[in-house]
Amino acid sequence: MDYREAAIVGYGETAYHKRRERTTMSYIADAIRRALLSGGLRKDDVDGLAVTSFELPPDNVTTVAEHLGLTINWAFQGSYGGASGVIGIAQAARAIQSGDANVVVVVAADAVDVAAHNTEISNFSTAIRDFVASYGFAGANGFFALLQRLHMDAYGTKLEQLGKLAVTQRYHASLNENALLRAPLSLDDYLDSRIIADPIRLYDCVMPCSGGDAVVVASSRQARELPGRPIYILGAGQRHNHNPGDIVPLTQGWAAYADALFERAGLQRSSVDMLQLYDDYPIMEVIQLEDLGFCDKGTGGSFIERTDVSIHGSLPINTGGGQLSAGQCGAGGGMIGVVEAVRQLRGEAGARQVAGVGTALVTGFGMVSYGRGLSTSAMILSN
Amino acid sequence: MPAKPVPRPDLDSSAYFEAARHGSLLIQRCQTCARFVFPPRTACPTCLSSHTLEWREATGRGYVSSYCVVYRPHHPSFYDEVPIVFAAVAMNEGPIMLSEIRRVLPNRVSIGLPVRAEFLQLDGSIFIPVWVPADRPIQASVEMTCLTISANS
């Protein structure tokens, strides 16, 4: 079943902060307020709520509804980390199609900073707490350093190829006033940056920050009566715990549903106008390009090398700077790509607007446990 | 210097940590499907049997399937130990263990390096396995594994 009876009708993004300037609840409220405003909707139109946030406990989606005075018929709380945004939107679309809800706000936000992130990583799951955190593992940086090392060893992937993603995204961030890292970044800057967990360098890593992102999903019928341009969901997929036991996985969950995703969307890969890839690390963008079928397994590095992935190029990637340059506001990192895709598809991206964009592929990735991210998601959007 | 994060053994993992205290590396094996399982858990991830997981003493041998060299650890208790070689070790029994490679210079580590397990004492009662190149002589005391890299390489 497709998702065409539902549409994304609004989007919002709070200011990103390097420090926890507000509470998580405050970022959630701000992101929702902005998304409703962009959709021409009022608080009382909302009858469904999807929330994802690492810092939210002891609160949850229901207490968020209480705090904000929302009375809802449908609730969802994402347990898939950075994969939750895309999954929450797909679930919301299903709820709207089935008549269980009419207007759903999907929000992801966190008040975090570097220190809070480092504290949390040791307790991210039982497996990490009891079987990893007592080693000098460098948090997620260590896990993805193992993965990058293996990819480089198995396929000859080069630092310069990974660095091109960081450099291009930084250029995009220079055109995004909400990005936290906007100073020009050269390939030499990337290569010479501080080594965190060799081969991972500083500019391979996101900066944990505070903020939030949200979209509003409504029925297509209602969408046509609203002021903004509706953005349609052509297809979505999710997969968790792909290839159990593969602790340093060169192939990940996207490979399981990529073909079905494009088939259901009725789209060739060559017809996708832009990619908003979950970019906790450049190596994960390379693996997604391979798993999603934009190139063969092992050739993601050379694909990046020969492709202009800037907003002026043939396949723009992470046109707002992505998490690598805008910042990773906790679980909000799983929504930044959705919000940027919607912004671009509505033609509201200002200085970084890609000309003639009609379709975008957005991915999510999260729930890092023993060595790897367990959850993947992907969604194709169209205007 | 703050203390290192320590595991919190529970009913599913206490046998593992108790054995580690006596210098023995246990991993689970499913009697139904004969697969080895790590990290410890309550059900076999291959066949979902729950009462057939038995503890077996592992060979404590394996090889490095990937590694990185950590200069910026996740916790201040490791800051004085850098560079730290964090690695995925493919154990002879099959499962991967994430751990540290010790008693070796980082530039001597490579994918495929044969390694064997030793135990590191975290505090009075918790011991965890670390791995050293298989050709390193076996040492009598666990404290020896804490010697600096320069003294051993």
Side-chain angles (χ1 to χ4, degrees), chain A residues 130 134-136 146 196 198 370, chain B residues 5 8 66 69 71 98 100 129:
Chain A
D130 292 343
S134 302
Y135 301 110
L146 299 180
I196 304 297
D198 195 19
Y370 194 72
Chain B
R8 286 190 250 155
S66 191
V69 185
Y71 290 89
L98 300 171
E100 288 178 23

Side-chain angles (χ1 to χ4, degrees), chain B residues 48-100:
Chain B
L48 208 57
S49 298
S50 61
H51 301 298
T52 59
L53 287 172
E54 60 176 359
W55 290 102
R56 288 284 192 93
E57 179 153 20
T59 57
R61 299 275 171 166
Y63 68 90
V64 172
S65 67
S66 191
Y67 71 98
C68 65
V69 185
V70 172
Y71 290 89
R72 186 67 188 175
H74 60 296
H75 191 272
S77 58
F78 296 95
Y79 288 173
D80 287 349
E81 297 181 23
V82 299
I84 296 166
V85 179
F86 178 67
V89 173
M91 293 186 281
N92 279 5
E93 290 77 13
I96 301 280
M97 179 189 288
L98 300 171
S99 184
E100 288 178 23

